[in-house]
Structures are given as C-alpha cells and as structure tokens.
C-alpha cells in the first residue's frame, strides 16, 4: 500500500473523509486522550482482519471497541450492572476501558473468541467526532506494530505503520500518554487488568473493592504479554536511583530519568528526563516519545530509573517493566 495520507484533524473535511474510510472497511489512525489508535468498523470482520495484519498482531490479542455515547452499548452488550453503570457515569468519556460480557453480534475476531468485549468511550474530541460521523463502533488497538512502544503523536504512526493505514488524522500530541486503565467486570470483584491514569484508588471510591490481577494473571491474560511496549534496544530498570550503572566500558548507554537524573555518569550517551519536577502526569505524557527517541539512537543499552508505584506511577512502571522484559 502507498504511504498514508496525513490530514489535520482540525479540519472538519478530514473527519468526514476519515469517517467514510471507516464505513467502507478501511483503517484510520486517530488521536485519543491516551495514545493514537488504529481504527476500523468493529462490526466488519474483514476490516478487523486488516487491523491484525497491519499490526502483525497475534489473533489471540483482543481489541478495544470505542463508542461515542452510551446508546451504542446496546449493540455490544446485553445488560449493565449497577457497578458498571456507576463507573461509566464517573469516568466516561475518558481513559477507562471496561471488559464486559458481550453480545453475540460482536465478531469473535474482535474479542479473540472470548465471551467478553472491552469497551471504552474516549474523551478526545477528534475520536468522539470520528466515531459519531462513522456511525459505527470503532475497534482500535494502539497504532503501532505489535509489541512496540505505543504512538503519542501522528509522526509515531507514520514511522511504524505509515504504509499500512489508509488515513492518519493528526490531532497533535496525546494529553495523557499511557493507554487506558482496563477493568474486568466479569468476576466476583472488578479486577484491574492494566493500570492507567484512572487509578485503583479512584475506582474504589466509586464502586468499592477492586482487586489487582496478580502479576501471574496479568501476564497470562489475553494480550497482556510480559514483553510489550518494547524498545528494540534492551532496557534495564534501576531499582535504586543512586545505583551505579553496571554497563561495561565499551557499551554506549542511555538513561531514561523520571525526574532530575541521579546518574551523571560520563559514559551516558543520552539522557531523557520525563519531568524535571517529577510530576507523574508530565512524565506519563512524555514516556513513549522519550523511549522512541532513545531507541532511535541505536545504543547498546537503555537504563530506566524507577518511580513510586502509586497513582500514575503504577502505570508508568508497568510499561517500563514490560519494555525491560528480555525477548526470549
Ligand atoms: O488507551 C487505550 O486503551 C488505547 C486507545 C487507542 O484507546 N488502546 C489500546 O489498545 O491500548 P491495545 O489493543 O493496544 O490494548 C488493548 C488490550 C489488549 O491487549 C488486551 O490485553 C485487552 O486490551 N483486552 C481487550 N479485550 C479484552 C477482553 N475481552 N478481555 C481481557 N482483556 C482484553
Ligand atoms: Mg497496544
């Protein structure tokens, strides 16, 4: 396929064009408040197949279905519990994905054959308009080749999938920068499957107990692979910010620092500081772009400083840990 057209999302005509592409079974990359998504008509199995091919994503990894208003739920799920309704009232539109028992008409391809479907109502105005104008729910994984770092601006999508997408809507950088919080509502207790900017404390305030899937469970859940969001350059996480870098002398190394770096090692070829003041929101917003810049330098190894696993820190460390998991 030829290189995709990149159109400014600020132009209503771009959105109309993009909605037409979706309705005709094509693929559109679009901004959300978390990361850029690669979208298609969720009810069109051929279009969904194209997403898996474009990303080279294994078919056991289910997709999130994006909707613009609650009436669209009728096509996706048979009924709603009180807890589910409360979460939607509190956090939709916004970066919360709920895994719910699915309707038979949701294609098995979307859900990787599971009896559940992941649903999210993004708050980004471009995503909202696109879904409304397309008039169908949009299945959208993050718009990156499978396993690589998620895209937080249009150029990241061009770099990774530029020739495999019909259209890219450029809506500028994503304001949150890490993927949505995913909560499974199927079990006795709601279960956090993927940490994001909506924290477990915020969820508990609305619905009471929420359990954290044990690392073993999350690692074996569909799509929650131990190695993910991964740079091509191997990464090591520094448990203690003051620790010496262990790199052998001949290695060229880079550092990802959450705030002011504690490492002033002369051998560092590059340093990325996620937030000079240690603000975790700013750090999350910069995380994936910084990882991509470090990765592009072709260094021998990257080191990442850790942060406290509270609030957004849990989401940041989740991504860093998966990035640092060696490829077999
Ligand atoms: O912020 C986001 O959620 C972004 C934007 C584009 O909306 N999307 C995103 O999609 O991160 P993706 O495909 O990269 O990650 C979705 C993950 C899957 O890997 C899988 O782990 C989980 O959602 N998932 C989807 N359906 C599921 C289901 N039925 N049961 C359990 N997990 C599910
Ligand atoms: Mg992804």
């Amino acid at each position: 396929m030829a290189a995709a057209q990149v159109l400014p999302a600020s132009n209503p005509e771009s959105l109309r064009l993009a909605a037409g592409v979706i309705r005709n079974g094509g693929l559109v990359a679009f901004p959300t408040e978390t990361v850029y998504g690669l979208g298609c008509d969720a009810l069109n199995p051929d279009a969904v197949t194209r997403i898996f091919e474009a990303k080279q994503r294994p078919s056991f990894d289910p997709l999130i279905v994006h909707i613009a208003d609650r009436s669209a739920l009728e096509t996706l799920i048979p009924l709603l519990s009180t807890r589910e309704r409360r979460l939607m009232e509190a956090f939709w539109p916004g970066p919360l994905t709920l895994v719910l028992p699915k309707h038979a008409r949701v294609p098995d391809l979307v859900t990787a054959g599971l009896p559940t479907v992941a649903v999210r109502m993004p708050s980004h105005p471009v995503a909202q308009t696109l879904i409304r104008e397309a008039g169908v729910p949009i299945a959208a994984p993050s718009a990156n080749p499978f396993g690589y770092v998620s895209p937080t601006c249009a150029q990241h999508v061009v770099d990774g999938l530029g020739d495999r997408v019909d259209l890219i809507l450029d809506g500028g950088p994503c304001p949150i920068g890490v993927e949505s919080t995913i909560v499974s509502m199927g079990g006795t207790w709601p279960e956090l499957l993927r940490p994001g900017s909506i924290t477990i404390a915020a969820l508990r305030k609305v619905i009471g107990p929420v359990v954290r899937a044990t690392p073993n469970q999350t690692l074996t859940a569909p799509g929650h692979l131990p190695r993910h969001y991964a740079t091509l350059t191997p990464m090591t996480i520094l448990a203690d910010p003051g620790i010496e870098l262990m790199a052998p002398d001949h290695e060229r190394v880079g550092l990802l620092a959450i705030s002011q770096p504690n490492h002033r090692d002369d051998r560092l070829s590059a340093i990325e500081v996620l937030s000079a003041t240690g603000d975790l929101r700013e750090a999350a917003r910069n995380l994936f772009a910084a990882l991509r810049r470090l990765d592009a330098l072709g260094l021998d190894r990257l080191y990442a400083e850790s942060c406290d696993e509270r609030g957004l820190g849990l989401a940041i460390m989740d991504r860093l840990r998966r990035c640092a998991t060696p490829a077999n």
Side-chain angles (χ1 to χ4, degrees):
M1 194 192 271
Q5 255 192 309
V6 183
L7 298 178
S10 53
N11 183 345
E13 186 53 31
S14 316
L15 278 151
R16 269 195 292 277
L17 256 170
V21 171
I22 297 271
R23 274 195 302 274
N24 289 326
L27 308 189
V28 174
F30 63 99
T32 80
E33 67 277 24
T34 56
V35 299
Y36 273 68
L38 176 61
C40 76
D41 178 352
L43 303 177
N44 176 342
D46 290 339
V48 175
T49 303
R50 290 190 59 207
I51 296 242
F52 281 92
E53 286 168 0
K55 280 190 61 120
Q56 296 187 302
R57 179 177 174 117
S59 58
F60 59 75
D61 191 356
L63 305 180
I64 297 174
V65 177
H66 297 64
I67 59 174
D69 52 66
R70 299 253 289 268
S71 62
L73 283 173
E74 284 165 28
T75 25
L76 304 175
I77 57 173
L79 44 94
L80 272 186
S81 72
T82 309
R83 277 194 299 220
E84 290 157 5
R85 194 167 290 129
R86 282 209 198 116
L87 287 175
M88 291 172 186
E89 273 156 20
F91 300 112
W92 279 8
L96 175 67
T97 296
L98 295 177
V99 174
L100 305 164
K102 87 174 182 87
H103 228 299
R105 63 172 76 89
V106 180
D108 280 340
L109 268 172
V110 171
T111 63
L114 293 170
T116 52
V117 60
V119 189
R120 140 163 158 76
M121 188 190 290
S123 62
H124 197 293
V126 172
Q128 287 255 338
T129 310
L130 178 66
I131 300 164
R132 284 217 169 85
E133 292 220 7
V136 291
I138 294 185
S142 50
N144 51 279
F146 180 71
Y148 195 62
V149 181
S150 293
T152 51
C153 66
Q155 187 59 46
H156 293 165
V157 183
V158 174
D159 294 345
L161 296 174
D163 54 353
R164 298 172 182 204
V165 184
D166 297 303
L167 190 70
I168 299 172
L169 287 172
D170 185 351
C174 299
I176 294 176
V178 289
E179 302 84 350
S180 60
T181 302
I182 303 181
V183 180
S184 164
M185 302 302 289
T188 316
W189 299 110
E191 193 173 19
L192 181 73
L193 296 184
R194 180 173 73 184
S197 66
I198 292 177
T199 61
I200 200 160
L203 295 165
R204 285 177 179 151
K205 247 190 213 158
V206 176
I207 50 163
V210 175
V211 296
R212 266 182 72 176
T214 62
N216 248 356
Q217 274 173 302
T218 26
L219 293 186
T220 52
H224 296 265
L225 300 180
R227 178 171 167 80
H228 211 109
Y229 317 106
T231 48
L232 301 176
T233 319
M235 173 185 276
T236 303
I237 295 178
L238 300 166
D240 170 359
I243 206 167
E244 285 289 301
L245 300 183
M246 301 292 283
D249 277 346
H250 62 271
E251 280 198 352
R252 293 175 63 237
V253 299
L255 176 71
L256 184 78
I258 305 283
S259 57
Q260 283 308 338
N262 289 299
H263 300 89
R264 302 212 176 274
D265 199 303
D266 292 344
R267 289 172 309 152
L268 284 173
S269 301
I271 302 179
E272 286 280 350
V273 179
L274 295 182
S275 165
T277 58
D279 171 9
L280 290 185
R281 286 188 181 276
E282 187 184 13
R285 190 157 58 233
N286 292 328
L287 176 65
F288 290 148
L291 280 175
R292 282 165 178 265
R293 281 194 296 269
L294 285 173
D295 204 19
L297 300 174
L299 302 175
D300 295 306
R301 181 163 293 276
L302 304 177
Y303 288 88
E305 291 187 352
S306 348
C307 62
D308 244 5
E309 297 200 47
R310 266 178 300 183
L312 248 181
L314 185 64
I316 293 173
M317 288 311 296
D318 170 73
R319 306 310 188 271
L320 287 179
R321 239 180 244 120
R322 288 176 205 273
C323 180
T325 300
N328 300 319

mmCIF file of all heavy atoms in Angstrom, residues 32 34-37 55 57 61-64 66 97 99 111 114 116-118 120 140-142 178-180 182 193-194 222-224, ligand 1:
data_model
loop_
_atom_site.group_PDB
_atom_site.id
_atom_site.type_symbol
_atom_site.label_atom_id
_atom_site.label_comp_id
_atom_site.label_asym_id
_atom_site.label_seq_id
_atom_site.Cartn_x
_atom_site.Cartn_y
_atom_site.Cartn_z
ATOM 1 N N THR A 32 -6.428 9.777 20.503
ATOM 2 C CA THR A 32 -7.325 9.725 21.658
ATOM 3 C C THR A 32 -6.570 10.429 22.788
ATOM 4 O O THR A 32 -5.403 10.802 22.623
ATOM 5 C CB THR A 32 -7.683 8.292 22.102
ATOM 6 O OG1 THR A 32 -6.614 7.756 22.884
ATOM 7 C CG2 THR A 32 -7.984 7.379 20.930
ATOM 8 N N THR A 34 -5.362 9.109 25.297
ATOM 9 C CA THR A 34 -4.289 8.255 25.827
ATOM 10 C C THR A 34 -3.152 8.113 24.817
ATOM 11 O O THR A 34 -2.065 8.644 25.024
ATOM 12 C CB THR A 34 -4.843 6.867 26.179
ATOM 13 O OG1 THR A 34 -5.464 6.300 25.017
ATOM 14 C CG2 THR A 34 -5.835 6.943 27.323
ATOM 15 N N VAL A 35 -3.419 7.383 23.734
ATOM 16 C CA VAL A 35 -2.431 7.173 22.665
ATOM 17 C C VAL A 35 -3.201 7.175 21.345
ATOM 18 O O VAL A 35 -4.430 7.191 21.350
ATOM 19 C CB VAL A 35 -1.681 5.817 22.838
ATOM 20 C CG1 VAL A 35 -0.923 5.774 24.162
ATOM 21 C CG2 VAL A 35 -2.632 4.617 22.731
ATOM 22 N N TYR A 36 -2.484 7.165 20.211
ATOM 23 C CA TYR A 36 -3.176 7.075 18.918
ATOM 24 C C TYR A 36 -3.700 5.653 18.723
ATOM 25 O O TYR A 36 -3.025 4.676 19.077
ATOM 26 C CB TYR A 36 -2.232 7.437 17.760
ATOM 27 C CG TYR A 36 -2.201 8.932 17.471
ATOM 28 C CD1 TYR A 36 -1.637 9.815 18.385
ATOM 29 C CD2 TYR A 36 -2.767 9.458 16.307
ATOM 30 C CE1 TYR A 36 -1.634 11.180 18.143
ATOM 31 C CE2 TYR A 36 -2.762 10.824 16.053
ATOM 32 C CZ TYR A 36 -2.197 11.688 16.977
ATOM 33 O OH TYR A 36 -2.202 13.037 16.737
ATOM 34 N N GLY A 37 -4.904 5.549 18.178
ATOM 35 C CA GLY A 37 -5.487 4.246 17.895
ATOM 36 C C GLY A 37 -5.509 3.984 16.396
ATOM 37 O O GLY A 37 -5.474 4.913 15.588
ATOM 38 N N LYS A 55 -0.878 -4.569 12.009
ATOM 39 C CA LYS A 55 -0.055 -4.501 13.230
ATOM 40 C C LYS A 55 0.810 -5.734 13.412
ATOM 41 O O LYS A 55 1.648 -5.779 14.296
ATOM 42 C CB LYS A 55 -0.970 -4.406 14.463
ATOM 43 C CG LYS A 55 -1.518 -3.044 14.752
ATOM 44 C CD LYS A 55 -2.193 -3.042 16.123
ATOM 45 C CE LYS A 55 -1.265 -3.383 17.259
ATOM 46 N NZ LYS A 55 -1.093 -2.390 18.291
ATOM 47 N N ARG A 57 -0.399 -8.385 14.599
ATOM 48 C CA ARG A 57 -0.804 -8.700 15.961
ATOM 49 C C ARG A 57 -1.350 -10.114 16.003
ATOM 50 O O ARG A 57 -2.137 -10.495 15.130
ATOM 51 C CB ARG A 57 -1.896 -7.712 16.348
ATOM 52 C CG ARG A 57 -2.478 -7.871 17.743
ATOM 53 C CD ARG A 57 -3.484 -6.741 17.929
ATOM 54 N NE ARG A 57 -4.247 -6.780 19.136
ATOM 55 C CZ ARG A 57 -4.189 -5.828 20.086
ATOM 56 N NH1 ARG A 57 -3.370 -4.809 19.960
ATOM 57 N NH2 ARG A 57 -4.951 -5.904 21.128
ATOM 58 N N ASP A 61 -5.016 -11.738 20.736
ATOM 59 C CA ASP A 61 -4.984 -10.480 21.497
ATOM 60 C C ASP A 61 -6.197 -9.620 21.121
ATOM 61 O O ASP A 61 -6.228 -9.022 20.053
ATOM 62 C CB ASP A 61 -3.677 -9.750 21.177
ATOM 63 C CG ASP A 61 -3.416 -8.586 22.108
ATOM 64 O OD1 ASP A 61 -4.271 -8.293 22.964
ATOM 65 O OD2 ASP A 61 -2.354 -7.965 21.973
ATOM 66 N N PRO A 62 -7.224 -9.560 21.998
ATOM 67 C CA PRO A 62 -8.477 -8.890 21.635
ATOM 68 C C PRO A 62 -8.360 -7.361 21.561
ATOM 69 O O PRO A 62 -7.447 -6.773 22.132
ATOM 70 C CB PRO A 62 -9.421 -9.282 22.772
ATOM 71 C CG PRO A 62 -8.531 -9.594 23.932
ATOM 72 C CD PRO A 62 -7.251 -10.111 23.361
ATOM 73 N N LEU A 63 -9.296 -6.750 20.832
ATOM 74 C CA LEU A 63 -9.279 -5.293 20.615
ATOM 75 C C LEU A 63 -10.278 -4.590 21.530
ATOM 76 O O LEU A 63 -11.245 -5.179 21.989
ATOM 77 C CB LEU A 63 -9.667 -4.983 19.163
ATOM 78 C CG LEU A 63 -8.855 -5.670 18.066
ATOM 79 C CD1 LEU A 63 -9.377 -5.240 16.694
ATOM 80 C CD2 LEU A 63 -7.382 -5.327 18.205
ATOM 81 N N ILE A 64 -10.043 -3.290 21.741
ATOM 82 C CA ILE A 64 -10.992 -2.461 22.480
ATOM 83 C C ILE A 64 -11.955 -1.817 21.480
ATOM 84 O O ILE A 64 -11.532 -1.325 20.434
ATOM 85 C CB ILE A 64 -10.246 -1.365 23.272
ATOM 86 C CG1 ILE A 64 -9.330 -2.003 24.327
ATOM 87 C CG2 ILE A 64 -11.229 -0.396 23.924
ATOM 88 C CD1 ILE A 64 -8.445 -1.008 25.072
ATOM 89 N N HIS A 66 -14.451 1.214 20.658
ATOM 90 C CA HIS A 66 -14.635 2.603 21.078
ATOM 91 C C HIS A 66 -16.008 3.103 20.660
ATOM 92 O O HIS A 66 -16.411 2.931 19.507
ATOM 93 C CB HIS A 66 -13.550 3.484 20.454
ATOM 94 C CG HIS A 66 -12.156 3.131 20.894
ATOM 95 N ND1 HIS A 66 -11.580 1.908 20.608
ATOM 96 C CD2 HIS A 66 -11.239 3.818 21.611
ATOM 97 C CE1 HIS A 66 -10.352 1.875 21.138
ATOM 98 N NE2 HIS A 66 -10.127 3.025 21.750
ATOM 99 N N THR A 97 -11.338 1.567 30.250
ATOM 100 C CA THR A 97 -11.890 0.501 29.412
ATOM 101 C C THR A 97 -12.514 -0.542 30.317
ATOM 102 O O THR A 97 -11.888 -0.993 31.278
ATOM 103 C CB THR A 97 -10.765 -0.147 28.560
ATOM 104 O OG1 THR A 97 -10.244 0.839 27.671
ATOM 105 C CG2 THR A 97 -11.282 -1.327 27.758
ATOM 106 N N VAL A 99 -14.190 -4.337 30.612
ATOM 107 C CA VAL A 99 -14.352 -5.642 29.963
ATOM 108 C C VAL A 99 -15.670 -6.227 30.459
ATOM 109 O O VAL A 99 -15.838 -6.479 31.655
ATOM 110 C CB VAL A 99 -13.157 -6.574 30.272
ATOM 111 C CG1 VAL A 99 -13.391 -7.970 29.716
ATOM 112 C CG2 VAL A 99 -11.868 -5.981 29.711
ATOM 113 N N THR A 111 -12.846 -9.984 19.739
ATOM 114 C CA THR A 111 -12.658 -10.370 21.143
ATOM 115 C C THR A 111 -11.748 -11.597 21.284
ATOM 116 O O THR A 111 -11.637 -12.148 22.371
ATOM 117 C CB THR A 111 -14.017 -10.686 21.794
ATOM 118 O OG1 THR A 111 -14.584 -11.820 21.119
ATOM 119 C CG2 THR A 111 -14.969 -9.512 21.685
ATOM 120 N N LEU A 114 -13.202 -14.573 22.991
ATOM 121 C CA LEU A 114 -13.620 -14.514 24.401
ATOM 122 C C LEU A 114 -15.112 -14.177 24.492
ATOM 123 O O LEU A 114 -15.673 -13.555 23.593
ATOM 124 C CB LEU A 114 -12.833 -13.420 25.127
ATOM 125 C CG LEU A 114 -11.329 -13.656 25.287
ATOM 126 C CD1 LEU A 114 -10.665 -12.385 25.808
ATOM 127 C CD2 LEU A 114 -11.085 -14.820 26.219
ATOM 128 N N THR A 116 -16.244 -12.023 26.356
ATOM 129 C CA THR A 116 -16.309 -10.636 26.836
ATOM 130 C C THR A 116 -15.811 -9.679 25.764
ATOM 131 O O THR A 116 -15.068 -10.073 24.859
ATOM 132 C CB THR A 116 -15.416 -10.460 28.077
ATOM 133 O OG1 THR A 116 -14.115 -10.960 27.757
ATOM 134 C CG2 THR A 116 -15.968 -11.195 29.283
ATOM 135 N N VAL A 117 -16.227 -8.405 25.890
ATOM 136 C CA VAL A 117 -15.722 -7.381 24.978
ATOM 137 C C VAL A 117 -15.226 -6.191 25.807
ATOM 138 O O VAL A 117 -15.828 -5.838 26.823
ATOM 139 C CB VAL A 117 -16.813 -6.946 23.965
ATOM 140 C CG1 VAL A 117 -18.049 -6.366 24.653
ATOM 141 C CG2 VAL A 117 -16.256 -5.924 22.960
ATOM 142 N N ALA A 118 -14.113 -5.600 25.381
ATOM 143 C CA ALA A 118 -13.567 -4.420 26.061
ATOM 144 C C ALA A 118 -14.149 -3.174 25.392
ATOM 145 O O ALA A 118 -14.082 -3.040 24.171
ATOM 146 C CB ALA A 118 -12.044 -4.420 25.960
ATOM 147 N N ARG A 120 -14.678 1.187 25.473
ATOM 148 C CA ARG A 120 -14.192 2.455 26.026
ATOM 149 C C ARG A 120 -14.817 3.613 25.281
ATOM 150 O O ARG A 120 -15.082 3.516 24.076
ATOM 151 C CB ARG A 120 -12.673 2.433 25.941
ATOM 152 C CG ARG A 120 -11.950 3.690 25.550
ATOM 153 C CD ARG A 120 -10.483 3.526 25.946
ATOM 154 N NE ARG A 120 -9.585 4.394 25.200
ATOM 155 C CZ ARG A 120 -9.448 5.695 25.439
ATOM 156 N NH1 ARG A 120 -10.167 6.299 26.357
ATOM 157 N NH2 ARG A 120 -8.586 6.408 24.721
ATOM 158 N N ALA A 140 -10.219 -0.403 17.968
ATOM 159 C CA ALA A 140 -8.926 0.265 17.791
ATOM 160 C C ALA A 140 -7.905 -0.168 18.827
ATOM 161 O O ALA A 140 -8.033 0.148 20.004
ATOM 162 C CB ALA A 140 -9.093 1.781 17.840
ATOM 163 N N PRO A 141 -6.868 -0.865 18.358
ATOM 164 C CA PRO A 141 -5.698 -1.065 19.222
ATOM 165 C C PRO A 141 -4.818 0.169 19.104
ATOM 166 O O PRO A 141 -5.089 1.050 18.284
ATOM 167 C CB PRO A 141 -5.014 -2.272 18.592
ATOM 168 C CG PRO A 141 -5.344 -2.162 17.139
ATOM 169 C CD PRO A 141 -6.703 -1.503 17.051
ATOM 170 N N SER A 142 -3.766 0.262 19.898
ATOM 171 C CA SER A 142 -2.804 1.346 19.725
ATOM 172 C C SER A 142 -2.182 1.198 18.329
ATOM 173 O O SER A 142 -1.986 0.092 17.838
ATOM 174 C CB SER A 142 -1.740 1.278 20.812
ATOM 175 O OG SER A 142 -1.209 -0.033 20.907
ATOM 176 N N VAL A 178 -0.280 7.430 28.309
ATOM 177 C CA VAL A 178 -0.266 5.975 28.529
ATOM 178 C C VAL A 178 -1.686 5.457 28.280
ATOM 179 O O VAL A 178 -2.661 6.182 28.450
ATOM 180 C CB VAL A 178 0.205 5.541 29.943
ATOM 181 C CG1 VAL A 178 1.689 5.775 30.110
ATOM 182 C CG2 VAL A 178 -0.583 6.239 31.033
ATOM 183 N N GLU A 179 -1.770 4.182 27.897
ATOM 184 C CA GLU A 179 -3.050 3.601 27.498
ATOM 185 C C GLU A 179 -4.043 3.581 28.657
ATOM 186 O O GLU A 179 -3.660 3.642 29.832
ATOM 187 C CB GLU A 179 -2.836 2.159 26.981
ATOM 188 C CG GLU A 179 -1.877 2.034 25.820
ATOM 189 C CD GLU A 179 -0.424 1.979 26.266
ATOM 190 O OE1 GLU A 179 -0.132 2.217 27.459
ATOM 191 O OE2 GLU A 179 0.428 1.709 25.399
ATOM 192 N N SER A 180 -5.320 3.404 28.286
ATOM 193 C CA SER A 180 -6.408 3.443 29.266
ATOM 194 C C SER A 180 -6.254 2.381 30.359
ATOM 195 O O SER A 180 -5.648 1.326 30.152
ATOM 196 C CB SER A 180 -7.744 3.223 28.549
ATOM 197 O OG SER A 180 -7.756 1.968 27.903
ATOM 198 N N ILE A 182 -7.646 -0.627 32.284
ATOM 199 C CA ILE A 182 -8.614 -1.670 31.903
ATOM 200 C C ILE A 182 -9.101 -2.398 33.156
ATOM 201 O O ILE A 182 -8.292 -2.878 33.963
ATOM 202 C CB ILE A 182 -8.003 -2.705 30.934
ATOM 203 C CG1 ILE A 182 -7.452 -2.017 29.678
ATOM 204 C CG2 ILE A 182 -9.040 -3.749 30.543
ATOM 205 C CD1 ILE A 182 -6.857 -2.985 28.650
ATOM 206 N N LEU A 193 -6.931 -4.937 35.123
ATOM 207 C CA LEU A 193 -6.090 -5.722 34.210
ATOM 208 C C LEU A 193 -4.904 -4.924 33.690
ATOM 209 O O LEU A 193 -3.860 -5.484 33.382
ATOM 210 C CB LEU A 193 -6.916 -6.220 33.007
ATOM 211 C CG LEU A 193 -8.054 -7.190 33.280
ATOM 212 C CD1 LEU A 193 -8.683 -7.642 31.961
ATOM 213 C CD2 LEU A 193 -7.577 -8.400 34.064
ATOM 214 N N ARG A 194 -5.112 -3.598 33.526
ATOM 215 C CA ARG A 194 -3.994 -2.762 33.053
ATOM 216 C C ARG A 194 -4.076 -1.427 33.771
ATOM 217 O O ARG A 194 -5.099 -0.753 33.689
ATOM 218 C CB ARG A 194 -4.090 -2.553 31.541
ATOM 219 C CG ARG A 194 -2.955 -1.687 30.966
ATOM 220 C CD ARG A 194 -2.958 -1.633 29.444
ATOM 221 N NE ARG A 194 -4.040 -0.834 28.925
ATOM 222 C CZ ARG A 194 -4.316 -0.677 27.628
ATOM 223 N NH1 ARG A 194 -3.576 -1.285 26.717
ATOM 224 N NH2 ARG A 194 -5.325 0.065 27.235
ATOM 225 N N PRO A 222 -5.197 -12.520 28.031
ATOM 226 C CA PRO A 222 -5.017 -12.321 26.590
ATOM 227 C C PRO A 222 -4.400 -10.959 26.312
ATOM 228 O O PRO A 222 -4.896 -9.944 26.768
ATOM 229 C CB PRO A 222 -6.438 -12.383 26.042
ATOM 230 C CG PRO A 222 -7.341 -12.229 27.229
ATOM 231 C CD PRO A 222 -6.582 -12.725 28.413
ATOM 232 N N GLY A 223 -3.335 -10.968 25.568
ATOM 233 C CA GLY A 223 -2.743 -9.695 25.169
ATOM 234 C C GLY A 223 -1.849 -9.050 26.210
ATOM 235 O O GLY A 223 -1.100 -8.138 25.897
ATOM 236 N N HIS A 224 -1.926 -9.521 27.454
ATOM 237 C CA HIS A 224 -1.089 -8.882 28.476
ATOM 238 C C HIS A 224 0.250 -9.609 28.523
ATOM 239 O O HIS A 224 0.524 -10.362 29.432
ATOM 240 C CB HIS A 224 -1.773 -8.927 29.847
ATOM 241 C CG HIS A 224 -3.039 -8.141 29.874
ATOM 242 N ND1 HIS A 224 -3.093 -6.844 30.300
ATOM 243 C CD2 HIS A 224 -4.291 -8.461 29.483
ATOM 244 C CE1 HIS A 224 -4.335 -6.392 30.186
ATOM 245 N NE2 HIS A 224 -5.077 -7.358 29.689
HETATM 246 O O1 LIG B 1 -5.897 3.751 25.633
HETATM 247 C C1 LIG B 1 -6.195 2.739 25.013
HETATM 248 O O2 LIG B 1 -6.836 1.808 25.534
HETATM 249 C C2 LIG B 1 -5.757 2.658 23.551
HETATM 250 C C3 LIG B 1 -6.514 3.702 22.743
HETATM 251 C C4 LIG B 1 -6.251 3.597 21.263
HETATM 252 O O3 LIG B 1 -7.881 3.630 23.033
HETATM 253 N N1 LIG B 1 -5.940 1.334 23.038
HETATM 254 C C5 LIG B 1 -5.149 0.283 23.383
HETATM 255 O O4 LIG B 1 -5.437 -0.884 22.710
HETATM 256 O O5 LIG B 1 -4.274 0.369 24.214
HETATM 257 P P1 LIG B 1 -4.460 -2.151 22.687
HETATM 258 O O6 LIG B 1 -5.059 -3.077 21.696
HETATM 259 O O7 LIG B 1 -3.080 -1.716 22.436
HETATM 260 O O8 LIG B 1 -4.630 -2.793 24.099
HETATM 261 C C6 LIG B 1 -5.869 -3.372 24.418
HETATM 262 C C7 LIG B 1 -5.712 -4.507 25.386
HETATM 263 C C8 LIG B 1 -5.403 -5.853 24.759
HETATM 264 O O9 LIG B 1 -4.055 -6.076 24.565
HETATM 265 C C9 LIG B 1 -5.950 -6.796 25.783
HETATM 266 O O10 LIG B 1 -4.953 -7.017 26.727
HETATM 267 C C10 LIG B 1 -7.057 -6.006 26.454
HETATM 268 O O11 LIG B 1 -6.996 -4.711 25.955
HETATM 269 N N2 LIG B 1 -8.368 -6.574 26.136
HETATM 270 C C11 LIG B 1 -9.165 -6.293 25.086
HETATM 271 N N3 LIG B 1 -10.276 -7.046 25.127
HETATM 272 C C12 LIG B 1 -10.198 -7.800 26.237
HETATM 273 C C13 LIG B 1 -11.028 -8.784 26.837
HETATM 274 N N4 LIG B 1 -12.191 -9.130 26.281
HETATM 275 N N5 LIG B 1 -10.604 -9.363 27.977
HETATM 276 C C14 LIG B 1 -9.429 -9.006 28.558
HETATM 277 N N6 LIG B 1 -8.583 -8.089 28.035
HETATM 278 C C15 LIG B 1 -8.960 -7.502 26.894
#
